[in-house]
């Protein structure tokens, strides 16, 4: 299941034919949000630039292995995160800051999350794609129903992997009720999870493994992340109230690092556009102040 937009697919095709102009377009398109992501991990400015440059290099080197399993943006974010973890040898960097307190049991798989792309395990990749489809369908339903409460719960459970008690504290809901909802959603996704976890059909694997698989796939597909245009609308204050509250939750409470990087980049773009416009106005009015 390809996550590539038409525009990105076309861009990639040209890059694969060694079109330098297309490569320059790709770098221009993504460099801002990648730099914002790196800086947000409190690495020095010079390091952030090195890491991003390295990420683009790695991307080119691995071009043959990338088949659109994650969107271009997500793929680049994951490569960059991998690069930063390698360099600082720090703890794993969860996609959501709210997920940072998740337990040790799920620690191990995260380091692998960017490397599985190069694994040529077609069957497993297909299983994951099926599970991802059912996740995307769940998110779509919740969005269409404008059921932002459950959408937020699903994100806290499966994207940030927060514990029921932590979610209860944050939302004021009863943790038993959250456990019940979680059970229901897992059941809904279950047939696919069983396949993706264990093709032989043994579903008795530990719960943590299910959780971490869901979280891993969530990072790859990011089914609930608002589009960049929606984040732009949020900045400009043009979204409806429920959406504004939801995006605020996604960025501030859940702390999605990918969307935060996009927002930082959009803010910077807006500021630069303002500066350019101000320069233009000042240029055009400079005569009024000459010789006065
Ligand atoms: Zn996000």
């Amino acid at each position: 299941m390809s996550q590539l937009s038409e525009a990105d697919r076309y861009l990639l095709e040209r890059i694969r034919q060694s079109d330098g102009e297309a490569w320059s377009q790709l770098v221009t398109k993504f460099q801002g949000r990648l730099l914002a992501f790196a800086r947000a991990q409190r690495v020095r400015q010079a390091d952030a630039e090195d890491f991003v440059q390295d990420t683009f290099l790695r991307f080119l080197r691995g071009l043959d292995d990338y088949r659109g399993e994650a969107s271009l943006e997500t793929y680049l974010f994951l490569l960059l995160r991998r690069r930063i973890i390698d360099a600082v040898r720090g703890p794993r960097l969860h996609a959501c800051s709210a997920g940072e307190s998740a337990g040790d049991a799920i620690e191990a798989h995260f380091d692998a999350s960017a490397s599985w792309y190069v694994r040529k395990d077609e069957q497993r990749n297909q299983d994951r794609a099926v599970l991802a489809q059912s996740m995307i369908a769940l998110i779509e339903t919740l969005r269409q129903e404008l059921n932002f409460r459950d959408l937020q719960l699903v994100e806290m459970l499966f994207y940030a992997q927060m514990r029921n008690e932590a979610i209860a504290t944050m939302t004021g809901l009863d943790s038993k009720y959250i456990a019940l909802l979680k059970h229901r959603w897992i059941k809904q996704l279950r047939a696919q999870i069983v396949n993706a976890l264990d093709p032989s059909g043994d579903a008795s694997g530990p719960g943590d493994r299910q959780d971490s698989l869901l979280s891993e796939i969530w990072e790859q597909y990011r089914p609930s992340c608002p589009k960049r245009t929606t984040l732009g609308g949020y900045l400009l204050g043009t979204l409806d109230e429920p959406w504004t509250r939801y995006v605020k939750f996604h960025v501030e409470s859940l702390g999605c690092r990918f969307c935060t990087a996009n927002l930082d980049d959009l803010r910077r773009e807006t500021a630069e556009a303002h500066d350019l416009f101000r320069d233009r106005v000042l240029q055009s009015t400079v005569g009024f102040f000459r010789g006065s």
Side-chain angles (χ1 to χ4, degrees):
M1 181 176 60
S2 176
Q3 297 292 300
L4 281 174
S5 66
E6 268 313 305
D8 284 348
R9 189 191 315 280
Y10 179 60
L11 202 56
L12 262 183
E13 237 167 62
R14 287 170 53 205
I15 292 168
R16 287 194 163 115
Q17 290 157 11
S18 305
D19 180 338
E21 173 57 28
W23 175 242
S24 156
Q25 276 179 36
L26 183 140
V27 173
T28 307
K29 181 172 177 181
F30 293 107
Q31 63 178 2
R33 60 196 88 168
L34 291 171
L35 280 167
F37 181 89
R39 285 193 209 107
Q41 314 320 316
R42 295 199 198 88
V43 296
R44 294 181 308 145
Q45 168 79 10
D47 289 341
E49 288 175 5
D50 284 350
F51 292 155
V52 172
Q53 185 182 332
D54 239 37
T55 298
F56 282 124
L57 266 173
R58 285 183 183 199
F59 175 79
L60 276 184
R61 285 196 196 115
L63 201 53
D64 291 341
D65 292 320
Y66 173 63
R67 285 158 297 164
E69 300 91 338
S71 72
L72 255 184
E73 180 191 89
T74 302
Y75 184 60
L76 287 164
F77 272 140
L78 292 176
L79 284 177
L80 173 60
R81 183 176 66 171
R82 173 79 263 169
R83 179 69 187 84
I84 293 173
I85 292 171
D86 280 351
V88 301
R89 295 180 187 282
R92 71 178 170 79
L93 203 51
H94 199 291
C96 310
S97 58
E100 221 74 304
S101 57
D104 295 337
I106 51 164
E107 195 83 13
H109 87 277
F110 270 93
D111 279 350
S113 63
S115 62
W116 72 266
Y117 295 101
V118 296
R119 267 188 251 141
K120 305 244 184 327
D121 188 343
E122 289 297 337
Q123 180 58 47
R124 197 170 166 80
N125 286 350
Q126 271 174 26
D127 288 343
R128 299 167 65 108
V130 172
L131 177 52
Q133 283 291 12
S134 83
M135 262 192 209
I136 290 166
L138 172 63
I139 296 298
E140 263 317 299
T141 309
L142 293 176
R143 277 187 177 171
Q144 272 165 17
E145 291 169 351
L146 297 180
N147 188 348
F148 288 103
R149 190 205 71 169
D150 283 3
L151 183 56
Q152 291 176 7
L153 286 174
V154 164
E155 288 191 309
M156 287 188 267
L157 284 166
F158 302 129
Y159 189 19
Q161 281 194 304
M162 291 168 67
R163 302 220 177 278
N164 295 350
E165 295 72 30
I167 298 174
T169 310
M170 199 157 148
T171 58
L173 294 168
D174 186 64
S175 70
K176 286 202 188 76
Y177 178 59
I178 293 165
L180 181 82
L181 288 174
K182 180 176 179 180
H183 181 72
R184 194 181 295 163
W185 283 318
I186 294 261
K187 210 167 148 192
Q188 207 172 322
L189 301 167
R190 189 164 183 85
Q192 286 84 357
I193 293 173
V194 170
N195 263 336
L197 273 176
D198 186 353
S200 71
D202 175 16
S204 60
D208 273 345
R209 218 169 135 222
Q210 287 192 357
D211 284 0
S212 63
L213 181 78
L214 281 169
S215 175
E216 196 179 330
I217 295 180
W218 205 287
E219 283 192 10
Q220 180 196 341
Y221 291 92
R222 292 169 59 202
S224 64
C225 284
K227 290 198 180 85
R228 191 165 155 104
T229 47
T230 306
L231 293 171
Y234 173 72
L235 269 189
L236 294 172
T238 56
L239 298 182
D240 293 343
E241 179 54 24
W243 270 100
T244 302
R245 257 184 285 136
Y246 167 66
V247 173
K248 191 173 158 61
F249 162 84
H250 186 84
V251 175
E252 291 181 13
S253 306
L254 196 72
C256 174
R257 297 188 201 276
F258 304 134
C259 288
T260 306
N262 264 301
L263 261 187
D264 289 349
D265 182 42
L266 284 165
R267 273 196 200 98
R268 189 191 45 82
E269 265 182 11
T270 312
E272 273 171 14
H274 282 170
D275 286 351
L276 281 174
F277 182 69
R278 186 202 54 211
D279 290 350
R280 195 177 116 193
V281 171
L282 292 181
Q283 279 285 300
S284 68
T285 52
V286 71
F288 284 94
F289 298 94
R290 273 204 191 116
S292 60

